[in-house]
Amino acid sequence: MSACVLFHFPFDPGSRTARLALGESRTDWSEVLVRPWEPGCPLEDLNPSGMPPVVQTTEAGAPLTLLEAGAILGWLEDRAKGPFLLPADPVERAEHRRLVAWFDRRFTDEVNAVLLHERMEKPLLRLGPPEARALREGRNALKTHLAMMEALATQRDWLAGRRLGQADLVAAAHLSVLDYFGEIAWGTYPALKTWYMKLKSRPCFRPLLTDRFQGLQPAPHYADLDF
Amino acid sequence: MSACVLFHFPFDPGSRTARLALGESRTDWSEVLVRPWEPGCPLEDLNPSGMPPVVQTTEAGAPLTLLEAGAILGWLEDRAKGPFLLPADPVERAEHRRLVAWFDRRFTDEVNAVLLHERMEKPLLRLGPPEARALREGRNALKTHLAMMEALATQRDWLAGRRLGQADLVAAAHLSVLDYFGEIAWGTYPALKTWYMKLKSRPCFRPLLTDRFQGLQPAPHYADLDF
């Protein structure tokens, strides 16, 4: 048993954030896949929210449980020797934090709660077929967010500035789920596509590319590093 | 002009979080009150989300703009000499971060988006009278959250453990807005009431107690330190 265990659901953006950040940290970790909507999910007893991601670790001796992606990112930052996914520059730190909040609230409310609800939650929870109107609404919102990210990727090496960090991993976690479902028209966003290719080539990203959703193959380019 | 300016709307929980945290840090700051839903709000040009809180500071020489409460809390932590609103203990740090995420998502979705929408946003945006069904739904959700917080306050000195920190300020920011509107039945939650009294007595809290909402007096106990 590893000194660090991650409980995650592979298509939950928060869980993907945790996997990418753990991967970047080169922590030795094992994983437990959970389906939080099913009775008996181990997170019922572990996290008051009932949701992934959760990390349990004994690496510092005493057991430590980290509930929610924010606590996992914070812990990885605390235990790193020096700046890790928050660069030293105060301007870049502020921008990473702004963008993390943007994805936590705006992107989640306007895109995930609509588009991922139709494409992912409905099949998982057997809530019937997607609704055309909701799909259209979610896709329109996604376009606005992608255009904003394209503008950032055009001006900067990484989303928040010169260094890869929390904002890139959180954004990639969200976009990669939508990309599995074929929702990202990469050709329209060339700078963002280059940014995503750089991320996709990193070792931390590999495990995500082998995830498979029940009864649905990924978009053809999903696992392609040169798409 | 102070070296640090906060743009805030007094009844926005994120803005109140920023005011409490700045107050605890004993930073010298001035304020600009904003109404983000009105055309010409200065945040239109400052923050892509258009929303408060925003801090502009030149205290380190170069100008630095902090967008959203998370960036402000992170900046205050970075510039403190040693742990400030995230205590040194890793267990307490994780718990503060969990609870901050809880308020950012769960409390905001289940309580604010319903109850504050009816009581605060509708009068501000002239959207008509509150709906009885939404009020009931929001109040029921609030009861569940208050019961959870009462359990924490019963077991601990502060919400996340032995030390005051981010979770306490974020929780108090949210509850104090609802308290203005008379939505908190403190008598039902004695441990939480004691926690809130301790917070309310701190100098950082004073400015919030003088806020006034257009055309509506606060609940009689709102500004009372011994309620």
Side-chain angles (χ1 to χ4, degrees), chain A residues 11-184:
Chain A
F11 290 88
D12 162 45
S15 292
R16 286 194 164 204
T17 299
R19 288 160 84 193
L20 293 173
L22 282 164
E24 284 292 319
S25 75
R26 294 162 193 265
T27 302
D28 174 33
W29 52 288
S30 59
E31 60 183 4
V32 176
L33 271 63
V34 294
R35 295 168 69 83
W37 62 93
E38 289 186 349
C41 170
L43 297 189
E44 282 174 15
D45 298 324
L46 267 180
N47 190 355
S49 76
M51 297 300 286
V54 170
V55 163
Q56 285 189 312
T57 176
T58 52
E59 66 164 30
L64 179 62
T65 304
L66 302 147
L67 307 173
E68 313 297 339
I72 296 167
L73 288 175
W75 167 69
L76 288 172
E77 208 63 27
D78 290 344
R79 72 202 256 283
K81 290 171 182 67
F84 170 45
L85 294 172
L86 288 173
D89 176 20
V91 174
E92 292 202 17
R93 292 173 83 81
E95 185 66 346
H96 278 285
R97 287 167 172 148
R98 173 183 84 83
L99 287 166
V100 168
W102 180 278
F103 278 91
D104 278 354
R105 289 278 351 155
R106 297 289 277 253
F107 195 93
T108 299
D109 286 351
E110 293 169 14
V111 181
N112 294 353
V114 188
L115 195 48
L116 274 191
H117 176 71
E118 297 295 328
R119 300 288 325 260
M120 182 171 82
E121 289 177 6
K122 277 189 165 181
L124 288 175
L125 303 175
R126 299 166 196 272
L127 298 176
E131 282 171 36
R133 189 179 156 175
L135 288 175
R136 202 160 48 236
E137 188 194 323
R139 284 169 181 156
N140 280 336
L142 175 59
K143 277 184 197 164
T144 307
H145 285 270
L146 290 173
M148 184 206 78
M149 294 171 72
E150 173 71 7
L152 296 178
T154 303
Q155 300 156 23
R156 301 168 176 174
D157 297 333
W158 296 96
L159 283 192
R162 284 172 305 156
R163 294 190 183 277
L164 173 137
Q166 291 185 356
D168 301 287
L169 302 191
V170 170
H174 282 81
L175 294 194
S176 64
V177 176
L178 291 160
D179 192 40
Y180 186 98
F181 291 98
E183 294 289 350
I184 317 268

Side-chain angles (χ1 to χ4, degrees), chain A residues 62-66, chain B residues 87-97 156 160:
Chain A
L64 179 62
T65 304
L66 302 147
Chain B
D89 176 21
V91 174
E92 292 202 17
R93 291 173 85 80
E95 185 67 346
H96 278 285
R97 287 165 171 150
R156 301 168 175 174

